Amino acid sequence: MLSLGQIFLTLLCLVSLKLANAGRVTTSLYVTQFVLLAFVLGLCLMFDVPNSDLPRVSHLFLLPLALVGYINFKTKRSPIQAVLIGASLLGFIALSSTHYALPFAQPIADDIRIYGVWVNSIIATALSALCVYALQAEIERTDRLARNLADALWREEFELYYQPQVDRNGRRIGAEALLRWTPTGGKLISPAEFIPAAEQAGLMGRIGYWVLQQAMQTLADWAKNEETRHLTLSVNVSASQFLEDGFERSVLNLIETFGIDPTRLKIELTESVMVANPELVTAKMHVLRAVGIGMALDDFGTGYSSLGYLRQLPLTQLKIDRSFVQSMMDNKRSAALVRSIVQMGLDLELDVLAEGVETREQVNFLTQNGCQAYQGFLFGRPVPLDDFMRPAAAAA
């Protein structure tokens, strides 16, 4: 039985490693947690059966398993992860409180279990302590990152990068402003790392306002140049920032302060914003649309949007998520979904822009299906403003 368990765990490690190498790290973690949960429960109910002399101990491994899940949950909140955490804790409570075993259980002999009781208890305790240490380290790292983010604002360590957006003819029609952070004397930190920390620390409103200020300044500068005055600029706005009291007033005040044409500004919202508070979101969007600001639904197809939301919201653009674009040439379902999104956008009289475009083959497919605009490495990577302006200057 011990050999079978070792073989089983070895196979699990190989499968998890293969998933991780394929870029499916989250799936790998979920599979590992689920299988280990089932393995421990099966071991407790079938073989590690307590008696008057020796207690059950295998269930102790459910505690570090729950802690690992919680550490991951803090990084990326997921209903699946919450269920796995809850199942691990409930399993621990049930197995600690009862002597229940399956009717056909085959308990391991006491002369073997007497050693396992001590070994498993020591290992499970050590794993739990290690998880607590890792959790504490993660909390300290997050707190330190939040403090550094607050300092970064007045140190002017943030910068906007600009990624071109083009029409069917490859003509530059605008750009998306993307936030980058390079700490003084340090390396560039990925937005995927610092944006969640800023959200948790309640700093996204301040950082988002800074981004809007920089975007307005850029649009004001572009308006002075014949070669750039036609360009639009898309700015991502988080749910927490968009739902702040007075967000729309602050945007209108900035437009007035910088004296820009509001039709040159486009605010991008993700689908999660739409379901947070539909009535409030709709009201805010109508205020912004009334002055001509464009409203784009970012990463369309990956969240919770419905036709009802699309019909009610004053959107001007749908952005097809890069994951669909990058897989549509090899995956029939992705291709069908892209066709449906493009047609849906056209039917609703919305512009449709595809993100993550990297090949001419993708452009041809999208063009044939009616897509109107593109953004991706094929047309330019996100670059600082000076670098973004060079092609325009060269074209002049």
Side-chain angles (χ1 to χ4, degrees):
M1 181 52 61
L2 181 60
S3 297
L4 288 176
Q6 291 174 335
I7 293 172
F8 176 79
L9 293 176
T10 300
L11 289 174
L12 173 61
C13 290
L14 292 175
V15 171
S16 300
L17 183 61
K18 185 175 181 179
L19 287 171
N21 288 337
R24 302 171 65 184
V25 178
T26 300
T27 302
S28 172
L29 182 60
Y30 289 160
V31 169
T32 302
Q33 287 179 265
F34 177 80
V35 174
L36 285 177
L37 173 61
F39 179 79
V40 172
L41 291 177
L43 184 64
C44 289
L45 296 175
M46 187 68 181
F47 304 106
D48 189 9
V49 180
N51 54 42
S52 57
D53 296 322
L54 296 172
R56 172 187 281 144
V57 292
S58 298
H59 67 292
L60 295 176
F61 289 101
L62 294 176
L63 284 181
L65 188 60
L67 283 169
V68 168
Y70 180 68
I71 293 172
N72 184 56
F73 185 77
K74 282 182 64 64
T75 303
K76 182 178 180 181
R77 296 183 180 275
S78 162
I80 297 175
Q81 187 65 81
V83 169
L84 288 171
I85 295 171
S88 299
L89 293 176
L90 287 174
F92 175 80
I93 293 171
L95 293 170
S96 298
S97 305
T98 69
H99 287 185
Y100 179 77
L102 294 173
F104 48 86
Q106 300 178 13
I108 299 173
D110 283 0
D111 57 344
I112 297 176
R113 287 185 66 236
I114 191 170
Y115 300 105
V117 166
W118 286 95
V119 173
N120 286 344
S121 297
I122 293 172
I123 294 175
T125 301
L127 287 174
S128 296
L130 182 62
C131 288
V132 170
Y133 175 80
L135 179 59
Q136 180 62 31
E138 174 62 20
I139 292 173
E140 291 178 356
R141 187 192 69 83
T142 302
D143 289 343
R144 183 169 60 254
L145 185 58
R147 291 193 299 271
N148 291 341
L149 280 167
D151 293 340
L153 276 171
W154 67 268
R155 288 178 181 170
E156 299 182 350
E157 294 175 347
F158 289 116
E159 183 180 8
L160 289 188
Y161 276 41
Y162 297 79
Q163 185 170 30
Q165 297 175 340
V166 303
D167 62 14
R168 291 185 176 187
N169 299 317
R171 186 178 70 99
R172 185 175 291 187
I173 57 176
E176 179 179 359
L178 299 166
L179 182 63
R180 296 291 184 263
W181 176 32
T182 306
T184 303
K187 297 181 180 180
L188 185 73
I189 298 178
S190 168
E193 181 177 354
F194 73 79
I195 292 296
E199 291 278 10
Q200 291 180 9
L203 294 171
M204 208 55 231
R206 290 172 55 193
I207 295 174
Y209 186 78
W210 179 89
V211 170
L212 284 170
Q213 284 181 309
Q214 298 302 306
M216 301 287 187
Q217 181 63 66
T218 298
L219 284 172
D221 293 339
W222 285 356
K224 301 173 185 176
N225 188 329
E226 184 67 29
E227 299 297 326
T228 56
R229 64 177 52 179
H230 70 284
L231 297 178
T232 61
L233 186 57
S234 299
V235 178
N236 292 282
V237 175
S238 68
S240 60
Q241 183 185 4
F242 190 80
L243 294 173
E244 283 181 350
D245 291 339
F247 168 77
E248 62 274 30
R249 290 194 300 273
S250 67
V251 173
L252 298 179
N253 289 338
L254 285 173
I255 288 175
E256 183 178 357
T257 299
F258 286 92
I260 68 166
D261 177 359
T263 63
R264 301 293 94 196
L265 175 66
K266 191 182 302 175
I267 290 178
E268 295 190 7
L269 304 172
T270 60
E271 297 180 50
S272 59
V273 181
M274 307 304 173
V275 298
N277 189 329
E279 293 78 14
L280 180 59
V281 168
T282 302
K284 286 174 173 284
M285 290 178 68
H286 276 294
V287 171
L288 297 172
R289 278 296 300 139
V291 299
I293 298 173
M295 305 298 300
L297 183 56
D298 197 13
D299 300 336
F300 182 73
T302 62
Y304 315 95
S305 287
S306 68
L307 291 178
Y309 283 132
L310 294 181
R311 187 179 68 251
Q312 296 169 13
L313 297 170
L315 294 168
T316 58
Q317 185 180 71
L318 291 183
K319 298 189 71 176
I320 306 174
D321 184 67
R322 68 180 64 249
S323 62
F324 300 132
V325 173
Q326 292 176 352
S327 63
M328 68 186 182
M329 305 311 300
D330 304 314
N331 187 302
K332 291 183 178 180
R333 290 188 175 184
S334 293
L337 184 56
V338 168
R339 289 193 196 97
S340 299
I341 293 174
V342 173
Q343 189 58 52
M344 186 186 307
L346 296 176
D347 290 342
L348 293 172
E349 300 182 344
L350 302 175
D351 294 331
V352 181
L353 182 147
E355 293 184 293
V357 179
E358 298 181 358
T359 67
R360 283 293 170 187
E361 186 181 17
Q362 293 171 341
V363 173
N364 293 337
F365 178 88
L366 290 162
T367 301
Q368 291 169 6
N369 286 279
C371 189
Q372 300 144 322
Y374 314 101
Q375 177 180 338
F377 291 169
L378 181 63
F379 304 103
R381 294 175 178 270
V383 293
L385 183 59
D386 289 343
D387 294 336
F388 177 84
M389 294 302 296
R390 286 194 185 110

